[in-house]
Amino acid sequence: MFSFINKIIEKRKLLKEISLIKERIDTTNIVFITGAGISIESGIAPFRGKNGIYTKNPELGFKLRPDSFKTDPQFLYDFHEEFKRDLLEKKPNSVHEIIAKHGHVVITQNIDDLHEKAGSDFVLHLHGEVNEYRCQSCGNAPVKGDFLFHDSCDCGASLRHNVVLFKESVLHIEKAQRIIKKASLLIQIGTSGKVYPAANLAVQADFSITVNPELPDNSHLFNYNLVGNPKEILKLLLDEDVIK
Ligand SMILES: [Zn+2]
């Protein structure tokens, strides 16, 4: 009973906080930073955290590294091909859809294509995209589509999935910083804020909010931290008719 009352009090506090924030935000140019948390409901397991791919199979963390291109390239190829195949039947959920409706730019740590499937036009994939491939050696731009394990680039080097592995640098970070500087509002959603440099992007924002089931590790960088169900919070925050 006590926890039930507590929940009601918490919910009221959250609703009050959201209505206060709604008075302060400028929604003309919203930029989202998203992480694995938003794809879980669509059936894509996160790499880290509870039920994460690495948590269940810590050995994978050691194999999904650039060294494996030398020691076990077939493993890297097969792992990402399986991820791609699984992705074919995955659908975006309502969080992806709300983001597509309101976000001018999405900066994501996810390698899946659910933002694109939901209709987001401009998605910056900091950790690459599993549906793309590129050369392991030259700087040719990544290509969308499939490749075979033994296929090679025009330059003769082997190809790889365009996915950032452990110890590799993230992509587009400077572009992401520039985009966030111009945003009227930054919303970070579905990420624990543990993975840098993405976790630090919020320092560029004028006004920023996190939306997550738990307080993220980088919460101190934001103006507001909304803790609860991301779908409900986003609806309340962005669909003007819900709260007056
Ligand atoms: Zn090449």
Side-chain angles (χ1 to χ4, degrees):
M1 184 66 186
F2 185 65
S3 76
F4 178 69
I5 294 170
N6 257 355
K7 266 188 184 163
I8 294 178
I9 294 171
E10 284 300 309
K11 182 109 187 190
R12 284 209 182 131
K13 257 168 69 182
L14 181 67
L15 287 175
K16 202 170 165 194
E17 199 176 10
I18 292 173
S19 18
L20 282 174
I21 295 172
K22 278 167 76 94
E23 286 170 17
R24 291 196 58 196
I25 55 175
D26 170 2
T27 57
T28 50
N29 182 11
I30 305 178
V31 172
F32 285 89
I33 296 180
T34 69
I38 68 161
S39 291
I40 293 172
E41 200 186 305
S42 295
I44 299 177
F47 281 94
R48 296 172 178 77
K50 198 178 138 203
N51 296 322
I53 294 172
Y54 295 150
T55 317
K56 282 186 177 166
N57 187 354
E59 203 189 311
L60 268 182
F62 293 99
K63 296 193 84 175
L64 288 169
R65 290 180 187 226
D67 313 353
S68 298
F69 284 121
K70 289 198 186 96
T71 56
D72 195 355
Q74 183 83 52
F75 164 79
L76 283 179
Y77 180 83
D78 292 344
F79 177 86
H80 291 112
E81 281 300 298
E82 195 182 325
F83 196 106
K84 259 170 76 176
R85 265 197 307 278
D86 288 348
L87 203 51
L88 289 174
E89 59 194 42
K90 306 292 188 217
K91 294 189 177 69
N93 59 62
S94 49
V95 172
H96 293 101
E97 280 157 11
I98 299 170
I99 290 173
K101 190 172 156 203
H102 295 277
H104 286 73
V105 180
V106 182
I107 297 166
T108 185
Q109 294 170 280
N110 300 342
I111 60 171
D112 64 55
D113 59 355
L114 297 185
H115 283 302
E116 286 86 349
K117 280 182 181 164
S120 285
D121 298 326
F122 195 111
V123 187
L124 218 53
H125 287 266
L126 297 180
H127 294 164
E129 285 178 74
V130 76
N131 285 330
E132 285 185 348
Y133 63 88
R134 65 179 161 91
C135 177
Q136 285 191 32
S137 173
C138 73
N140 281 348
V143 177
K144 272 216 176 357
D146 299 318
F147 70 105
L148 298 172
F149 179 62
H150 290 293
D151 285 350
S152 52
C153 173
D154 295 342
C155 78
S158 304
L159 299 173
R160 59 173 285 182
H161 293 87
N162 187 29
V163 168
V164 173
L165 301 170
F166 259 132
K167 292 188 173 179
E168 291 187 313
S169 306
V170 297
L171 308 169
H172 315 300
I173 201 77
E174 282 164 14
K175 193 169 185 183
Q177 287 169 340
R178 286 197 299 275
I179 288 167
I180 292 171
K181 265 187 190 152
K182 289 185 196 154
S184 64
L185 169 64
L186 176 71
I187 302 178
Q188 173 185 287
I189 180 162
T191 162
S192 55
K194 282 190 176 85
V195 183
Y196 283 83
N200 211 32
L201 280 170
V203 296
Q204 310 290 337
D206 272 348
F207 196 92
S208 56
I209 301 170
T210 66
V211 178
N212 213 44
E214 293 107 32
L215 198 64
D217 281 18
N218 64 346
S219 58
H220 58 285
L221 300 176
F222 291 80
N223 296 90
Y224 289 97
N225 294 282
L226 297 172
V227 176
N229 180 308
K231 182 174 32 178
E232 278 177 27
I233 294 175
L234 268 195
K235 275 189 184 161
L236 292 167
L237 194 63
L238 299 174
D239 288 350
E240 294 76 13
D241 300 336
V242 185
I243 306 181
K244 290 284 180 196

